[in-house]
Amino acid sequence: MTTTRTRTLLAIALLLAGCATAPPVTVKHHVPRGGKVAVVMFQDCDIAKQVDCDDSGAKAGAIFARVLSQRPDLQAVSLPRPVGAKVPLSDDAAVAYAKAKGYRYVVNGEVQAYYGGHVSLHANRAAVSVRVLSTSNGLEMASYRQQEKSAAHLTAPDDMLEDMAKQLAAGVMIEPKSRRDGKFLFYKGDGSD
């Protein structure tokens, strides 16, 4: 009987593990330790007749800057948006703006949905699209796209944005050696150990 129970529990665990999805961070290059990152306030969402969209980009940008600045060996600072809150800011323009201010990396993004705090039939929700760019060559180092909702109104949009920022931060940062010891095998390629 215990064998059947063990097999059933194992099958359920495998099923749940198969259903789990990886965070939606696509990383081409990590931000090295000591990196200096500017977070340009994000573009506000633009959903008709939704007043929650107003100032959503500034809220999201501030949250991402705060979370990134909490990472060890990373300097992150928020920059005011050089264009209007609802006006698109191209990645090339964000790179030029941050480079002129002396930053090696820039985070540029858009809020695609932001709704919360209302008693209604609509779920609290937040959605963003974010890119981490190198100011030295304009290349995209990482991208992140996520949307979350809380039908029971238990999670505020700002809390969802904080979770998203933590996923991005964990994905793009190179962990200090002390945190990754024993987790990776590095091949040097020159025959040395």
Side-chain angles (χ1 to χ4, degrees):
M1 178 142 171
T2 19
T3 305
T4 305
R5 183 179 212 188
T6 303
R7 287 182 184 159
T8 303
L9 290 173
L10 182 58
I12 290 171
L14 289 173
L15 177 65
L16 291 174
C19 293
T21 59
V25 180
T26 302
V27 179
K28 297 174 185 172
H29 302 284
H30 292 279
V31 173
R33 291 174 39 195
K36 214 171 162 186
V37 180
V39 179
V40 178
M41 295 298 97
F42 297 174
Q43 179 181 341
D44 285 355
C45 59
D46 192 14
I47 301 171
K49 298 180 183 179
Q50 187 170 318
V51 295
D52 288 4
C53 282
D54 295 342
D55 205 33
S56 62
K59 291 176 186 175
I63 290 168
F64 273 73
R66 179 178 49 78
V67 169
L68 286 169
S69 69
Q70 293 170 349
R71 300 294 296 190
D73 298 321
L74 177 69
Q75 297 175 24
V77 67
S78 60
L79 290 180
R81 193 166 177 78
V83 296
K86 294 196 184 292
V87 176
L89 177 65
S90 73
D91 288 346
D92 290 341
V95 164
Y97 177 54
K99 186 175 186 172
K101 301 257 183 211
Y103 294 95
R104 291 189 61 201
Y105 307 99
V106 63
V107 176
N108 189 29
E110 302 81 30
V111 175
Q112 296 166 328
Y114 186 94
Y115 185 85
H118 307 288
V119 178
S120 71
L121 299 175
H122 299 290
N124 287 353
R125 62 187 175 275
V128 295
S129 177
V130 179
R131 279 103 31 233
V132 180
L133 309 155
S134 168
T135 61
S136 65
N137 56 19
L139 294 178
E140 182 179 284
M141 298 184 63
S143 62
Y144 177 82
R145 177 174 278 228
Q146 178 70 325
Q147 62 182 25
E148 293 182 17
K149 68 179 179 177
S150 173
H153 298 282
L154 298 176
T155 307
D158 288 354
D159 296 331
M160 294 176 207
L161 290 169
E162 183 158 346
D163 288 341
M164 293 175 197
K166 287 177 181 176
Q167 288 178 6
L168 176 70
V172 301
M173 285 301 302
I174 293 177
E175 288 293 327
K177 187 176 183 203
S178 62
R179 291 189 182 177
R180 65 174 189 248
D181 280 345
K183 294 182 184 175
F184 301 100
L185 176 64
F186 292 99
Y187 175 67
K188 294 182 181 179
D190 60 359
S192 64
D193 289 331

